[in-house]
Amino acid sequence: MSAATVFRALTPLGRLAAGLAALACAVALLGGLGFRWDPLNLQKKRLAAAQAEVRQASIEAAAQEEARRLEAQGAAVQAQRVDHYQQMTTRAERATAAAVVQARSADDADQPLDPRRADRLRDHDGQLCRLAPDLDGCAAATGSAGGGDAALRPGRVAG
């Protein structure tokens, strides 16, 4: 029996089933050989979506890297500020300690404020203002007491 006789012997529904089976075999064979049929262009849409995700991920990675860089830079600047503040505090404490020792050991420590003592205090005040010009009483401070001079007036010398 030949294939043509078998095909003629089939009913129209059988012919349709045989045709669909042959078509399915052809599609499977061509698919195995690497041929792709994409009438809705789904492959390109998936590719475009994947590329968009990659672009977004690279943008987010760059933003995170920039944030880490700025954070490290900010930490370094903050460390410099803390170091500067500590150095300034240490210098102010040293200057104050020296002035306190000098004032307590002076021969006029128990006498009313005389011009020499006022000069020493004014010198110490000047040292503090050089270390931290933004302190109240310094010339650079707003609302200061006239550069600190008006706050100290020599008293009557004890005689």
Side-chain angles (χ1 to χ4, degrees):
M1 222 177 188
S2 71
T5 10
V6 173
F7 190 69
R8 275 188 243 148
L10 291 176
T11 62
L13 188 56
R15 288 181 187 166
L16 180 65
L20 286 176
L23 182 64
C25 287
V27 167
L29 180 65
L30 290 175
L33 293 175
F35 291 103
R36 298 284 181 248
W37 185 59
D38 193 7
L40 300 177
N41 211 8
L42 296 177
Q43 187 67 22
K44 280 189 179 177
K45 290 178 184 176
R46 282 192 292 261
L47 179 63
Q51 288 173 341
E53 285 182 29
V54 167
R55 279 192 300 272
Q56 184 63 30
S58 67
I59 289 171
E60 289 174 3
Q64 288 177 356
E65 183 177 330
E66 180 67 12
R68 285 190 297 273
R69 186 189 66 78
L70 289 174
E71 184 179 351
Q73 182 181 11
V77 168
Q78 183 64 23
Q80 288 176 346
R81 286 181 186 156
V82 168
D83 186 46
H84 174 72
Y85 173 77
Q86 288 174 341
Q87 288 175 1
M88 187 174 66
T89 302
T90 302
R91 284 184 275 174
E93 287 173 351
R94 285 180 185 159
T96 302
V100 166
V101 167
Q102 184 183 17
R104 287 186 179 157
S105 66
D107 57 346
D108 60 351
D110 295 325
Q111 297 175 1
L113 193 63
D114 69 350
R116 291 182 314 176
R117 196 167 175 196
D119 288 340
R120 281 196 312 270
L121 290 172
R122 213 173 281 112
D123 287 342
H124 180 255
D125 189 45
Q127 288 176 355
L128 292 176
C129 285
R130 279 190 296 278
L131 291 174
D134 57 335
L135 291 175
D136 286 340
C138 295
T142 58
S144 64
D149 289 338
L152 294 176
R153 292 194 176 90
R156 191 171 60 84
V157 177

